[in-house]
Amino acid sequence: MKNILITGGAGFIGSNIALKLLQREKNVTVLDNLSPQIHGNNPEVTSPLYKSILNKVNFIKGTVTSKEDWINAIKDQDAIIHLAAETGTGQSMYEIQKYVDVNIGGTALMLDILANHSHQIKKIIIASSRAIYGEGKYKCAKHGIIYPSERKDTAMAKGDFSCKCPICDDTVIILPTTEDSKIHPTSVYGITKQNQEQLVLTVCKSLGIAAVGYRYQNVYGPGQSLSNPYTGILSIFSTRIKNGNLINIFEDGKETRDFVYIDDVAEATILGLENDEANNQVYNVGTGVATNVITVAETLSKFYNIEVPIQISGNYRLGDIRHNFADISKIKSEIGFDPKWNFENGIQQFTKWVNEQEIPKDKYELSIKEMKNKGLYK
Ligand SMILES: NC(=O)c1ccc[n+]([C@@H]2O[C@H](COP(=O)([O-])OP(=O)(O)OC[C@H]3O[C@@H](n4cnc5c(N)ncnc54)[C@H](O)[C@@H]3O)[C@@H](O)[C@H]2O)c1
Ligand SMILES: [Zn+2]
């Protein structure tokens, strides 16, 4: 496969994959609408990600919601890496139609064209997300594997942030999320990712096109949008630390996420493109390591070499999940993915990059105020 189309290829993950594919002598075409929310109003100046691929790939400015743009982009391609999407979890709860149109609608349109027009596409990679798992997989001492639903406001108000067994209400133990875990997204964004994955895997089978679904965890690294909702905490804390401000940690600080470095994510994605073993499979892409929020604050502070007070406030946001980390044994054993970057090393690269950027204005207090107004912050 020589000619690769990356939709959303001007974005964080896509631009990194594009540069790696170029190193491997592939011809890369990018279809991207340079969404102002991600790239600013003047991408040639305001988007380092777009600049990193400019004049290196065949760039088509267009949208995945346009049939004409798809037909133009698919011409002569051997494979599609479909990343273009609206990605704001919070935003998806009040811009529902937009999220459904771009994410589900764009994917449906791609498949429609492949089903009804001549083409030479042999493989499609679809970007799914850990968001489809909602709260993830847990174990109850009495009831075995269970999938907790949303935590109760009344319990959290008393400082109890743990997840409970839906049968007996006992506290439960977190397990790594395997690919066969229950799919129960808690946001419109998560629902669209689940649908995109299902559409691609189901339709490609009938079209004789190989498909691979990637459930990315929290992807971070140099070049990330400082408003990326998955890793917003890295930029929010960075801004606080660099302005010498106190960090307010939600809940008890022991809530965790699986942070996976951008380089590893790009490698994992390309492994699936090159490897037939991956065909018609879905994979978690993470590190398999749960990192708690206190560790995030301390690691950032260490690499910026700035000490700020860290306050564990017991504040919380309704709808937040408590934990999620991936079981990555499937991708390891089937296509040999092994993350090379641990959190310390990745954060060291991330802070180096942030140090070269202008310090953004600290909008933290403002965002708390907004959440309070919406009744989401306690
Ligand atoms: N970054 C993460 O932590 C993470 C985690 C899980 C899943 N994902 C998924 O990975 C994919 C890439 O994410 P990312 O972090 O690189 O996001 P990103 O926002 O940096 O990149 C997305 C790109 O898609 C483009 N785009 C948006 N709407 C478009 C449209 N209608 N037509 C064409 N292009 C459009 C944007 O301009 C942007 O360049 C997304 O599908 C996202 O859901 C990301
Ligand atoms: Zn139980």
Side-chain angles (χ1 to χ4, degrees):
M1 285 187 289
K2 181 83 180 161
N3 300 333
I4 317 291
L5 169 65
I6 308 178
T7 72
F12 177 43
I13 299 177
S15 60
N16 277 281
I17 295 174
L19 295 177
K20 276 198 195 293
L21 286 175
L22 290 172
Q23 282 167 8
R24 293 172 206 211
E25 323 241 291
K26 305 284 186 194
N27 300 324
V28 178
T29 299
V30 164
L31 171 65
D32 198 299
N33 70 350
L34 297 177
S35 152
Q37 188 171 316
I38 307 295
H39 300 282
N41 285 324
N42 187 3
E44 277 83 6
V45 182
T46 46
S47 174
L49 293 177
Y50 174 54
K51 279 196 275 183
S52 74
I53 57 160
L54 192 63
N55 301 324
K56 294 184 185 147
V57 302
N58 169 29
F59 187 80
I60 302 172
K61 185 169 181 197
T63 168
V64 295
T65 53
S66 153
K67 186 171 180 182
E68 214 183 319
D69 291 341
W70 267 119
I71 291 177
N72 183 17
I74 281 173
K75 207 167 144 262
D76 300 328
Q77 303 298 335
D78 298 311
I80 305 173
I81 302 178
H82 185 31
L83 304 172
E86 293 289 345
T87 63
T89 312
Q91 192 180 40
S92 77
M93 302 303 281
Y94 53 89
E95 294 199 30
I96 298 129
Q97 189 175 14
K98 179 159 135 200
Y99 274 72
V100 169
D101 283 352
V102 173
N103 297 4
I104 303 179
T107 304
L109 186 56
M110 167 182 79
L111 294 170
D112 232 45
I113 291 165
L114 295 174
N116 297 295
H117 291 253
S118 65
H119 66 84
Q120 57 182 57
I121 301 291
K122 295 161 201 73
K123 192 158 190 165
I124 297 181
I125 308 266
I126 179 73
S128 181
S129 166
R130 65 129 176 106
I132 69 173
Y133 296 124
E135 183 61 74
K137 183 169 167 179
Y138 288 74
K139 192 174 169 184
C140 166
K142 285 193 218 107
H143 298 100
I145 303 292
I146 53 99
Y147 298 94
S149 39
E150 213 165 273
R151 292 172 290 162
K152 292 198 183 84
D153 194 1
T154 45
M156 292 203 282
K158 288 187 206 131
D160 180 1
F161 300 109
S162 60
C163 289
K164 300 284 192 290
C165 172
I167 306 164
C168 67
D169 212 35
D170 270 2
T171 297
V172 288
I173 303 165
I174 172 84
L175 296 175
T177 312
T178 45
E179 284 85 351
D180 60 1
S181 300
K182 183 173 163 185
I183 308 292
H184 60 142
T186 53
S187 64
V188 172
Y189 168 71
I191 293 172
T192 67
K193 287 281 126 186
Q194 173 186 7
N195 271 278
Q196 285 187 278
E197 186 190 301
Q198 288 171 323
L199 283 168
V200 168
L201 277 124
T202 308
V203 176
C204 282
K205 203 181 274 171
S206 85
L207 297 179
I209 298 172
V212 193
Y214 275 109
R215 298 171 178 173
Y216 299 128
Q217 288 279 335
N218 302 67
V219 188
Y220 74 100
Q224 77 172 59
S225 150
L226 290 175
S227 57
N228 176 348
Y230 279 96
T231 48
I233 185 179
L234 296 185
S235 43
I236 292 165
F237 285 3
S238 292
T239 313
R240 298 291 292 174
I241 295 170
K242 289 180 67 89
N243 285 308
N245 290 333
L246 167 150
I247 293 185
N248 173 19
I249 292 190
F250 290 168
E251 304 190 8
D252 56 3
K254 296 195 179 127
E255 57 277 21
T256 63
R257 296 292 182 270
D258 182 340
F259 292 97
V260 57
Y261 193 63
I262 181 63
D263 229 52
D264 283 328
V265 168
E267 282 299 331
T269 310
I270 293 173
L271 272 176
L273 183 72
E274 291 177 337
N275 209 317
D276 287 344
E277 285 275 307
N279 294 356
N280 312 319
Q281 298 298 322
V282 291
Y283 293 113
N284 288 334
V285 181
T287 59
V289 177
T291 301
N292 73 35
V293 175
I294 297 175
T295 307
V296 170
E298 288 174 349
T299 312
L300 284 168
S301 163
K302 176 171 121 189
F303 285 110
Y304 288 124
N305 205 9
I306 302 172
E307 264 193 54
V308 294
I310 293 178
Q311 168 190 301
I312 298 166
S313 65
N315 291 127
Y316 56 93
R317 290 184 304 190
L318 291 175
D320 268 357
I321 61 156
R322 175 75 174 162
H323 300 292
N324 196 320
F325 74 107
D327 183 317
I328 56 169
S329 47
K330 183 177 177 203
I331 189 166
K332 254 188 190 165
S333 68
E334 291 186 5
I335 57 174
F337 169 65
D338 203 0
K340 295 198 174 48
W341 292 84
N342 64 25
F343 190 66
E344 285 256 320
N345 295 342
I347 286 297
Q348 192 169 15
Q349 297 304 312
F350 173 76
T351 53
K352 244 193 233 165
W353 171 74
V354 174
N355 280 336
E356 291 157 9
Q357 314 302 306
E358 241 175 77
I359 309 180
K361 228 180 123 205
D362 193 338
K363 293 189 191 138
Y364 178 77
E365 311 287 351
L366 192 74
S367 79
I368 295 287
K369 217 167 140 193
E370 274 176 13
M371 280 192 292
K372 268 190 185 151
N373 287 343
K374 285 189 183 141
L376 296 171
Y377 181 80
K378 305 272 174 160

